[in-house]
Amino acid sequence: MPFLIAVLGLLGAAAIWWYRMKAMNEAAREVADVVGRVQGNIRRKKLRKQAALSPLTAIDDPVVAAATLITAIVSEQGPILPQREAALREVISQIAQSPKKTDEAVVYAKWAASQIDDTTIVIDKLAPFLRERLDPHERDDLLRMLNRVAQGGEQSLRIADQRMLRLRQKLGFEVN
């Protein structure tokens, strides 16, 4: 009889340890699943951010960059209507070498601005690019071009002060 009790005790202890190991294995699997989901979310967020920037990373021409920057800031308050687009074409034609280059810059600018929801991203990405390629007088001309496009069209737009401040900072102007 004591032998039978000892065997039952050993079997009971083995069953308890087997159950505990199984529960620990399931808990470890759940932790691994959560870690995998978190890593996947981080990767997806990174890919979304890269995809959002992709229209901007393809820009290698200051004329296209200026057109995109102006379009993004102006379109923040609504779609670019024909009269505003005409004002944009007019200011871009003054810096582009040809009408074909003006058309390419405006078409790309409208497309890129429609792909990116946040104007701050456009400013943060394109203003340093323009700062490197433009002298201070040309950068000042860029700000005047932006104001002319904002004033052109059906009704004049008021560009938010924080947008202008951020743009001036990123272009390398001293801001008080």
Side-chain angles (χ1 to χ4, degrees):
M1 188 73 171
F3 178 73
L4 185 60
I5 293 175
V7 169
L8 287 177
L10 285 175
L11 287 176
I16 290 172
W17 279 103
W18 176 80
Y19 179 75
R20 290 184 75 189
M21 290 299 199
K22 183 179 173 185
M24 286 176 27
N25 189 18
E26 287 176 15
R29 259 193 241 125
E30 287 179 21
V31 168
D33 286 345
V34 168
V35 168
R37 274 187 256 132
V38 168
Q39 288 174 337
N41 285 339
I42 291 170
R43 267 188 254 118
R44 281 189 295 279
K45 184 176 181 181
K46 183 179 176 184
L47 287 173
R48 276 194 301 268
K49 189 173 182 178
Q50 286 175 344
L53 293 176
S54 64
L56 301 178
T57 57
I59 296 175
D60 60 354
D61 181 12
V63 174
V64 175
T68 304
L69 183 65
I70 292 169
T71 304
I73 292 172
V74 171
S75 68
E76 187 174 37
Q77 297 180 10
I80 303 274
L81 298 175
Q83 290 180 339
R84 186 139 354 258
E85 183 178 341
L88 176 65
R89 283 182 186 279
E90 180 185 329
V91 297
I92 295 301
S93 68
Q94 295 171 0
I95 59 172
Q97 293 88 8
S98 68
K100 181 181 177 187
K101 179 132 176 130
T102 301
D103 287 339
E104 289 175 4
V106 171
V107 168
Y108 188 86
K110 287 173 59 180
W111 173 78
S114 71
Q115 298 297 309
I116 300 167
D117 295 336
D118 191 4
T119 305
T120 306
I121 293 173
V122 178
I123 293 171
D124 290 347
K125 190 71 175 168
L126 294 181
F129 172 82
L130 290 168
R131 183 181 63 229
E132 294 171 4
R133 285 161 181 80
L134 303 177
D135 63 38
H137 178 69
E138 291 171 329
R139 287 182 254 156
D140 197 42
D141 285 344
L142 176 66
L143 294 175
R144 282 196 290 274
M145 290 166 57
L146 173 60
N147 284 325
R148 276 186 290 193
V149 173
Q151 300 309 313
E154 295 79 22
Q155 60 183 9
S156 65
L157 299 176
R158 185 174 186 295
I159 299 170
D161 291 339
Q162 70 265 20
R163 292 284 182 245
M164 288 302 287
L165 179 67
R166 185 176 198 93
L167 180 58
R168 291 182 63 81
Q169 285 175 331
K170 295 290 181 174
L171 286 175
F173 290 110
E174 194 168 312
V175 179
N176 295 332

